[in-house]
């Protein structure tokens, strides 16, 4: 989700996206920089999945899976791939409430519902309505707390700062007709 400028390197925690131990699939899509139609011929892609001690940035990272592009991706409109890795985690995130298959549902109706949820979320952010935002995102925030081993002080810190990164922006959704 970095579109404005090239990235030399960035760590993106995926803890809250791993619900239990076992084989995980990581799908990634590399897109051109904003206002470019194609990837640059110099684009280099390296994805490393690593394990490190929770909440200690400076401890050694143990790489458990890597992807490095071997061929030029220049002139492509995007590059997409997937890698699998084994995760062993000491927690399980509750997915019991996700016991419904959407496979046979009407895609337009599903898209409209998801879009409506994003409209609601965008409204809370633009109104700086922290209480409603936190209520709306409570389930996923609890997953974040559990998967990042946050104590009560850190929980309160992140809960109170949930809208801080949006303070200088007014969010607007891409119109449904474009999607």
């Amino acid at each position: 989700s970095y579109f404005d400028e090239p990235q030399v390197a960035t760590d993106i925690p995926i803890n809250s996206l791993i619900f239990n131990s076992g084989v995980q699939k990581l799908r990634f899509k590399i897109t051109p920089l904003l206002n470019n139609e194609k990837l640059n011929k110099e684009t280099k892609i390296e994805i490393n999945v690593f394990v490190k001690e929770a909440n200690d940035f400076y401890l050694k990272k143990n790489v458990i899976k890597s992807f490095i592009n071997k061929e030029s991706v220049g002139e492509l409109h995007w590059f997409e791939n997937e890698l699998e890795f084994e995760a062993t985690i000491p927690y399980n995130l509750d997915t019991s409430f996700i016991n419904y298959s959407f496979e046979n549902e009407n895609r337009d109706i599903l898209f409209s519902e998801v879009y409506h949820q994003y409209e609601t979320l965008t409204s809370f952010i633009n109104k700086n309505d922290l209480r409603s935002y936190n209520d709306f995102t409570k389930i996923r925030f609890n997953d974040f707390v559990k998967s990042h081993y946050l104590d009560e002080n850190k929980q309160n810190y992140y809960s109170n700062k949930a809208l801080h990164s949006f303070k200088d922006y007014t969010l607007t959704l891409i119109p449904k007709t474009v999607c």
Side-chain angles (χ1 to χ4, degrees):
S1 60
Y2 297 95
F3 298 108
D4 292 331
E5 52 190 64
Q7 293 293 309
V8 173
T10 188
D11 288 350
I12 302 172
I14 60 173
N15 300 41
S16 60
L17 302 174
I18 300 175
F19 300 125
N20 49 34
S21 294
V23 175
Q24 311 294 316
K25 290 184 181 182
L26 174 67
R27 184 168 216 45
F28 57 92
K29 184 174 186 176
I30 309 299
T31 59
L33 294 175
L34 198 59
N35 299 322
N36 290 320
E37 291 185 20
K38 295 182 180 179
L39 293 167
N40 185 296
K41 64 182 177 180
E42 302 298 319
T43 299
K44 304 239 183 297
I45 302 166
E46 181 175 352
I47 308 285
N48 292 307
V49 177
F50 60 84
V51 176
K52 71 175 185 72
E53 187 63 35
N55 301 316
D56 192 338
F57 184 78
Y58 298 102
L59 288 179
K60 183 179 179 190
K61 301 172 183 178
N62 296 318
V63 176
I64 59 172
K65 191 70 172 194
S66 291
F67 171 87
I68 300 173
N69 68 313
K70 294 178 174 51
E71 300 172 5
S72 173
V73 295
E75 300 303 311
L76 294 177
H77 292 282
W78 73 85
F79 178 81
E80 190 170 15
N81 209 323
E82 181 179 284
L83 56 96
E84 288 187 3
F85 63 95
E86 182 81 22
T88 304
I89 57 174
Y91 59 85
N92 287 319
L93 300 182
D94 182 16
T95 59
S96 62
F97 58 92
I98 311 172
N99 59 1
Y100 184 82
S101 173
F102 295 96
E103 188 174 19
N104 296 320
E105 295 293 331
N106 180 293
R107 293 174 71 87
D108 292 334
I109 293 171
L110 288 173
F111 177 76
S112 290
E113 178 58 30
V114 170
Y115 194 86
H116 173 68
Q117 297 298 314
Y118 275 108
E119 287 175 320
T120 302
L121 192 59
T122 300
S123 172
F124 297 150
I125 292 168
N126 287 337
K127 292 176 187 173
N128 199 31
D129 185 350
L130 183 61
R131 179 175 299 185
S132 295
Y133 178 89
N134 285 341
D135 286 345
F136 190 80
T137 61
K138 185 176 185 170
I139 291 172
R140 287 304 289 153
F141 182 73
N142 289 338
D143 290 346
F144 175 80
V145 167
K146 190 175 201 178
S147 64
H148 287 84
Y149 314 98
L150 301 183
D151 61 29
E152 191 171 339
N153 289 336
K154 291 272 186 170
Q155 289 178 44
N156 290 331
Y157 172 82
Y158 285 114
S159 180
N160 290 324
K161 294 285 187 181
L163 297 180
H164 184 73
S165 62
F166 298 109
K167 69 179 180 168
D168 296 327
Y169 300 98
T170 299
L171 298 182
T172 56
L173 291 176
I174 297 170
K176 277 203 262 187
T177 54
V178 175
C179 300

